[in-house]
Amino acid sequence: QVQLVESGGGLVQAGGSLRLSCAASRSIFSGNAMGWYRQPPGKQREFVATITSGGWSTTYADSVKGRFTISRDNAKNTVYLQMNRLKAEDTAVYYCNMASPRWSTLHFWGQGTQVTVSS
């Protein structure tokens, strides 16, 4: 069964922190690079961060570099996003999925988790 379940979002003041989790089915997670993506209100979904299958390499969007950290627990089929020094512009629905140059064409997405940063 294909599954992506994001959690950990909420309302936080600017400068605060949140840790997002994404539990994925084995068919999506195992052996694949994973990524976090977000969709701000009224905008298209955008890339946030990726991590390789073994967790040894990560990439970040310029807008979150130095503030967000992606990690994964391969034993739990779970990927995390630690978000620090949050800004109002980080407000979005956050999703996880496989990392791919063509990620925007992936058909299956979870429900996402809402992050709202108040200024």
Side-chain angles (χ1 to χ4, degrees):
Q1 181 180 0
V2 178
Q3 193 173 27
L4 288 164
V5 181
E6 299 92 348
S7 62
L11 174 64
V12 63
Q13 287 188 334
S17 298
L18 283 174
R19 188 192 193 209
L20 306 184
S21 299
C22 171
S25 57
R26 186 180 178 87
S27 60
I28 293 177
F29 191 89
S30 184
N32 290 318
M34 294 294 292
W36 281 97
Y37 309 88
R38 67 186 182 186
Q39 187 164 16
K43 297 183 179 180
Q44 291 190 334
R45 197 171 296 174
E46 62 187 26
F47 155 77
V48 175
T50 63
I51 187 167
T52 54
S53 59
W56 58 83
S57 182
T58 57
T59 61
Y60 297 93
D62 288 343
S63 59
V64 307
K65 203 171 292 182
R67 299 187 298 119
F68 290 11
T69 303
I70 188 172
S71 61
R72 65 191 290 161
D73 185 335
N74 286 348
K76 296 181 178 179
N77 290 346
T78 300
V79 61
Y80 304 98
L81 187 68
Q82 177 67 44
M83 307 186 296
N84 298 328
R85 303 199 309 275
L86 283 160
K87 304 176 181 180
E89 51 263 43
D90 295 319
T91 294
V93 179
Y94 284 72
Y95 302 87
C96 71
N97 212 321
M98 289 188 293
S100 166
R102 303 178 70 178
W103 63 266
S104 62
T105 64
L106 293 172
H107 292 296
F108 181 82
W109 292 86
Q111 84 288 349
T113 186
Q114 175 71 49
V115 171
T116 302
V117 184
S118 62
S119 57

